[in-house]
Each structure stands twice: as structure tokens, then as C-alpha cells.
């Protein structure tokens, strides 16, 4: 009896021990840690914001790229500013014309484009050498034709650097005539200072403004159009020296397709209508420059064709105006849109 009661007491104690909280084997459900849950929700929100910002940034970049291409496309279609470096093949063909061909062409049948300034004073440039001053505009079709001759002639006295190529206005006469631009180019010579001013771009926006001294020259000769050249203060060109229509597929039709820079350059290796005009005017320019450099360099200025032209220039007088029957192409010979007034 006593033994049975002891066993029952032991059994009760064992059962009580099993039900004590510290010895319970049953797992109680864990209550989530409140701060930890809050941090997790905040991280989710931050991650969402980062994703939204990333997507927004990508969309913004895409929008900017689209706007850029629309802008550049509209500039191209409207004939906006276009300054690219002239190709090496074009520059080589124009700056290294065969001297024999130049001598053979002579004036090329082109009428004397110069007027004598009537001044005995020599115009000198930034380094003290005789100055060749050019004033034109990229949109101007007459300037487009003139630059070909200028590059040929001046390459006999020095070197152009970073010479650009462009075309004249797409909305003027002889539209999109292939040419060079002197804007952002440079020129070195032991004989002359070349001072070019490209007053406006293809859209007629101002590119370069004449200095006070240059404006004084323009005012002195009442210049209100393009192109204009002053060679040493002695000889002046006040308009286009030849008709730029010759630089087109049909030289009789100013609305025909314009030749490319390369196509024009390729014509300067033989005698033809294009080379006669470009090289003929180049020889006039060469002779005028020789007259202010004391016939230096001799290998250029001693050529018989240059000597002959130089002699004829010495007879040119300031009274030779277009209205007086001069062969000089006058501003009135071309559409009014070719002339720009201030």
C-alpha cells in the first residue's frame, strides 16, 4: 500500500515536471520582431523608388536622343550650317595644279576681274606682309565660285590648313554650289598675309564680323555685297569673276544638278570649261599678288602667262566701272538675292 502510494506520488511529480514552462518540448509560435518588419518594409519601398528612378532615367535618355536626331535632321533638311574638313583628294587636286596647265590656260578667256584701287599705299597684314583681304559669305553662290580660284592662286604662295568644304545656299540662285569655306581655316606664307572674312553661314547667320580696319576698307569702296577682294590695296574684285553655273551638270542651266567638290576638283587636271574659268581667274589673282610681292616667288611670277597678265593689270584704271563697259561682272548682272546689304 505504502509502495503503491509512493509510486503514485512519483508519477504525479513527473507529470508536473513535464508541464513546467521551462521544460516544455512543444514549440510556441514566434511573434515577429516589430522593428525588423518595419526595416524590411522600408527596404522594399527604397528598392521600388530606385527602380522607378532608373526607369525614368532611361526614358529621359531615350527622349533626349530622339530630340537630338530630330533636331539634326531638321538642320540638315533646311540646309543649316555645314562645316566639314575638305577631303584630302580635293585639297590635293586644287592646291597642286600642274604649273604647265596653268601657264597653258592663261586667262582662260575670262575677262579681267580687277579694278585698280587708285591708291599707291600698300595694304599690309598682321605680320607686315602684303595683305590679300577677302570678304564673302558661305551662302553666296558667287563666293562659292570665287573660292576655287582663290585656293588655287594662294596655294602658289603658301599653304592652307584645315580648309573646309561646304555648299552655297539651297534657296538662292545656283543652289548648293560646291565650294570651300575659309571659316576656321588658316593660311601660312612667306610672301603674303591672307585675311579672309566669312561674314555669314548658309542660313545667313553672322559668322565673322569685320574689324574696324576691315570695315573701313569696305566703307572706303562702298562695298555692300559679296564677294569682295582687296589685293595689297592696289587691286579690287567687287563681284563674281565668272558665272558659277559652269560648276553644274548643265553649265547653261543654274537649276541643274550641282557638281560635287570632287567632280570639280577632277576637272582641274586638263583644259575644259571649268578649268578655264577657275584657273583663268586664279592666274589673274596670281599676277595681282606677284605685283605686290616684287614678283616673288620667282618660279611662279616669272611664268610668261603671269607676266603678260601682270602687264595688263598695270593698265587697269579705277575708272573701269561696270557701267562704263568694263568686262568686270557687275552686281547687277546677277539676281538681287546674291547681294547682301547691311
Amino acid at each position: 500500500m505504502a509502495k503503491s502510494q509512493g509510486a503514485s506520488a512519483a508519477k504525479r511529480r513527473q507529470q508536473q515536471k513535464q508541464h513546467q514552462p521551462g521544460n516544455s518540448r512543444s514549440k510556441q509560435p514566434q511573434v515577429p520582431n516589430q522593428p525588423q518588419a518595419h526595416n524590411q518594409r522600408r527596404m522594399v519601398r527604397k528598392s521600388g523608388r530606385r527602380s522607378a528612378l532608373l526607369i525614368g532615367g532611361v526614358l529621359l535618355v531615350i527622349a533626349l536622343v530622339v530630340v537630338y536626331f530630330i533636331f539634326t535632321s531638321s538642320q540638315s533638311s533646311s540646309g543649316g550650317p555645314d562645316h566639314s574638313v575638305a577631303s584630302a583628294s580635293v585639297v590635293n587636286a586644287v592646291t597642286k595644279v600642274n604649273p604647265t596647265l596653268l601657264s597653258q590656260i592663261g586667262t582662260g578667256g575670262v575677262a579681267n576681274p580687277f579694278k585698280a584701287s587708285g591708291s599707291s599705299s600698300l595694304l599690309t597684314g598682321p605680320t607686315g606682309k602684303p595683305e590679300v583681304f577677302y570678304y564673302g559669305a558661305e551662302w553666296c553662290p558667287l563666293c562659292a565660285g570665287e573660292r576655287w580660284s582663290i585656293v588655287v592662286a594662294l596655294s602658289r604662295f603658301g599653304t592652307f590648313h584645315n580648309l573646309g568644304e561646304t555648299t552655297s545656299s539651297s534657296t538662292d540662285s545656283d543652289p548648293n554650289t560646291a565650294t570651300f569655306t575659309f571659316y576656321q581655316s588658316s593660311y601660312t606664307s612667306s610672301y603674303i598675309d591672307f585675311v579672309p572674312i566669312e561674314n555669314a553661314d548658309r542660313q545667313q547667320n553672322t559668322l565673322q564680323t569685320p574689324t574696324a580696319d576691315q570695315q573701313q576698307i569696305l566703307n572706303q569702296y562702298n562695298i555692300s555685297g559679296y564677294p569682295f577682294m582687296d589685293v595689297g590695296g592696289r587691286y579690287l574684285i567687287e563681284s563674281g569673276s565668272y558665272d558659277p553655273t559652269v560648276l553644274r551638270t548643265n553649265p547653261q542651266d543654274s537649276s541643274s544638278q550641282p557638281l560635287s567638290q570632287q567632280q570639280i576638283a577632277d576637272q582641274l587636271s586638263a583644259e575644259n570649261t571649268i578649268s578655264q574659268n577657275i584657273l583663268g581667274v586664279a592666274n589673274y589673282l596670281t599676277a595681282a599678288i606677284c605685283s605686290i610681292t616684287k614678283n616673288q616667288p620667282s618660279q611662279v611670277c616669272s611664268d610668261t602667262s603671269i607676266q603678260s597678265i601682270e602687264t595688263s593689270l598695270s593698265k587697269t584704271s579705277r575708272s573701269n566701272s561696270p557701267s562704263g563697259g568694263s568686262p568686270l561682272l557687275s552686281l547687277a548682272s546677277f539676281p538681287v538675292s546674291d547681294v547682301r546689304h547691311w
Side-chain angles (χ1 to χ4, degrees), residues 187-205:
Y187 176 81
T188 55
S189 171
S190 299
Y191 308 98
I192 58 173
D193 285 334
F194 178 49
V195 181
I197 294 291
E198 297 287 10
N199 186 229
D201 63 16
R202 296 183 70 232
Q203 299 290 336
Q204 299 193 26
N205 299 311

Side-chain angles (χ1 to χ4, degrees), residues 86-98 155 163 180 265:
S87 70
S89 60
V90 169
V91 172
N92 186 68
V94 180
T95 60
K96 297 179 180 179
V97 177
N98 188 333
S155 294
L163 193 62
F180 298 98

Side-chain angles (χ1 to χ4, degrees), residues 148-167:
W148 287 95
S149 300
I150 294 172
V151 173
V152 172
L154 268 65
S155 294
R156 306 177 81 177
F157 299 88
T159 304
F160 282 98
H161 309 277
N162 197 38
L163 193 62
E165 66 179 30
T166 187
T167 59

